[in-house]
Amino acid sequence: MPNLIRRPEWWLPERLVTPEVAFVNRRRFLRQLGMAGAVSLGASSAWSADAADPVYSKGYPHARSKAFDPGWRLTDEKTASTYNNFYEFTLSKDVYRHVSAFETAPWKVEIGGLVEKPMTLDAAELISKVTLEERVYRLRCVEGWAMIVPWTGFPFSRIVEMVQPKPEARFVRFVTASKPAQMPGLRQNPEYPWPYFEGLRMDEAMHPLTLVATGIYGKPLARQFGAPLRIIVPWKYGYKSPKSVVKIEFVTAQPRTFWETLIPREYPFESNVDPEVSHPRWSQATERMIDSGDRVKTKKYNGYAAQVAQLYGA
Ligand code: MTE
């Protein structure tokens, strides 16, 4: 099966993923020549044109939570907005160039399974029921890159309160959008098990760090970040943070996930960030910050050990 699949960049050892490194070096070079301003201007107008649907803009920017404001240097917004993984559109990082046809409003979200109060509602209505806040989190991709960004959103536990899972609900399954007419990647890579789907244990989903993100950098999510709603689980590799969610289902058995279905040995269900556990084909000991290019040591649970280690008996 894996041999039949067209490989995205992150199937390669990180040291072989050269285009972004070349990009960063080129920017450094241009900066030395005093040309970086001109380059940023051009690129920024290209990505801001695909900003969020205005239906989601109400109330932005939302106040940053003091509890989630660690004072870290944020990743440059333009870099984070032009370097994404969203295979429904493209296997390359310039997702922002491929999302203009993606309609994110209206957006039906179905929340059900083993719950007392199943509900199907529009994303805008769901967002209007909760209080949004900004939180600065680290995101670590399994490919070996990382960023620090201010998400806007609300704790996933708010959804749990709304639908009231039954005692037999032990896992949460997320299903994301599949709109072949608007998502070229679905048509170009039919061998993948679309739609993208993920899952968490109930205690992971209920953890105060687990966020339903609705915005980033003080604005509603741009399409390439997974508008209008995506899940963020900051102590796990980025693929455990599904974008553009349409269905949330409470279930008894551990659900399959998109990448686990493709290559279980490489992308297991749990997938907590761990510098000591190498990916079968590359080390996870360090990570590259996508804007500066700095290489830093990866931390266990992506730096959130104090908050989450107890979930894993550590
Ligand atoms: N969600 C969907 N629906 N499709 C995807 O391809 N990629 C995942 C995750 N969520 C993905 C997804 C991966 S591999 C990563 S690293 C993060 O999104 C990247 O999030 P970002 O683009 O906001 O940085």
Side-chain angles (χ1 to χ4, degrees):
M1 175 83 168
N3 292 337
L4 299 175
I5 288 171
R6 246 184 79 202
R7 299 187 162 197
E9 282 170 15
W10 56 284
W11 290 51
L12 296 172
E14 216 263 328
R15 70 192 154 76
L16 296 180
V17 183
T18 48
E20 311 71 49
V21 175
F23 171 75
V24 170
N25 288 343
R26 183 169 162 266
R27 287 205 47 175
R28 277 205 191 119
F29 176 67
L30 290 169
R31 206 178 301 134
Q32 279 159 11
L33 291 178
M35 287 171 69
V39 171
S40 330
L41 216 69
S44 92
S45 57
W47 61 262
S48 60
D50 281 325
D53 191 299
V55 80
Y56 299 113
S57 333
K58 210 175 131 220
Y60 277 87
H62 292 269
R64 185 172 297 175
S65 159
K66 287 198 174 58
F68 299 98
D69 190 9
W72 300 329
R73 187 187 67 80
L74 297 180
T75 297
D76 159 64
E77 180 182 356
K78 183 180 64 179
T79 308
S81 307
T82 53
Y83 189 93
N84 299 94
N85 277 340
F86 204 164
Y87 301 115
E88 289 87 328
F89 292 94
T90 173
L91 300 189
S92 61
K93 295 286 185 276
D94 61 343
V95 180
Y96 72 103
R97 292 185 202 274
H98 304 266
V99 292
S100 55
F102 185 31
E103 288 168 17
T104 57
W107 189 271
K108 199 173 84 166
V109 185
E110 200 185 325
I111 314 174
L114 298 166
V115 297
E116 299 294 347
K117 297 187 172 169
M119 51 180 80
T120 298
L121 69 182
D122 191 79
E125 192 192 344
L126 175 62
I127 294 168
S128 74
K129 288 177 185 288
V130 295
T131 305
L132 298 180
E133 64 181 51
E134 189 173 82
R135 296 180 173 194
V136 173
Y137 278 179
R138 299 175 48 84
L139 184 139
R140 167 63 154 85
C141 179
V142 73
E143 297 165 355
W145 55 263
M147 61 180 192
I148 297 174
V149 295
W151 299 109
T152 298
F154 62 95
F156 183 80
S157 59
R158 286 286 294 116
I159 289 191
V160 172
E161 285 164 24
M162 283 179 210
V163 297
Q164 299 175 14
K166 297 179 179 169
E168 17 348 337
R170 293 182 48 238
F171 293 88
V172 189
R173 180 171 176 264
F174 303 99
V175 183
T176 73
S178 169
K179 301 184 179 202
Q182 300 169 23
M183 298 173 144
L186 297 184
R187 306 192 300 271
Q188 287 154 8
N189 303 290
E191 66 276 33
Y192 283 84
W194 307 115
Y196 193 94
F197 52 107
E198 254 303 333
L200 292 173
R201 285 178 358 201
M202 243 338 230
D203 58 347
E204 294 173 332
M206 290 287 291
H207 192 279
L209 281 173
T210 302
L211 198 69
V212 181
T214 60
I216 189 168
Y217 292 105
K219 290 167 280 192
L221 289 176
R223 289 167 173 78
Q224 63 270 30
F225 285 112
L229 293 174
R230 59 108 46 105
I231 307 297
I232 294 292
V233 193
W235 69 96
K236 293 179 180 282
Y237 289 115
Y239 58 90
K240 298 287 297 180
S241 292
K243 296 180 169 185
S244 302
V245 169
V246 294
K247 189 172 178 184
I248 299 170
E249 200 181 2
F250 292 79
V251 296
T252 305
Q254 180 175 305
R256 304 284 300 275
T257 72
F258 181 87
W259 283 109
E260 189 195 20
T261 303
L262 286 166
I263 325 166
R265 204 173 64 89
E266 300 194 356
Y267 308 105
F269 182 83
E270 190 169 276
S271 289
N272 294 325
V273 174
D274 191 342
E276 282 154 31
V277 178
S278 294
H279 182 279
R281 287 178 288 118
W282 60 86
S283 162
Q284 293 290 23
T286 64
E287 63 206 37
R288 178 179 50 83
M289 301 309 295
I290 55 171
D291 57 346
S292 62
D294 291 347
R295 186 156 286 282
V296 298
K297 282 189 177 161
T298 291
K299 295 195 176 113
K300 186 142 170 113
Y301 301 111
N302 201 21
Y304 296 98
Q307 292 94 326
V308 302
Q310 86 283 357
L311 292 181
Y312 307 101

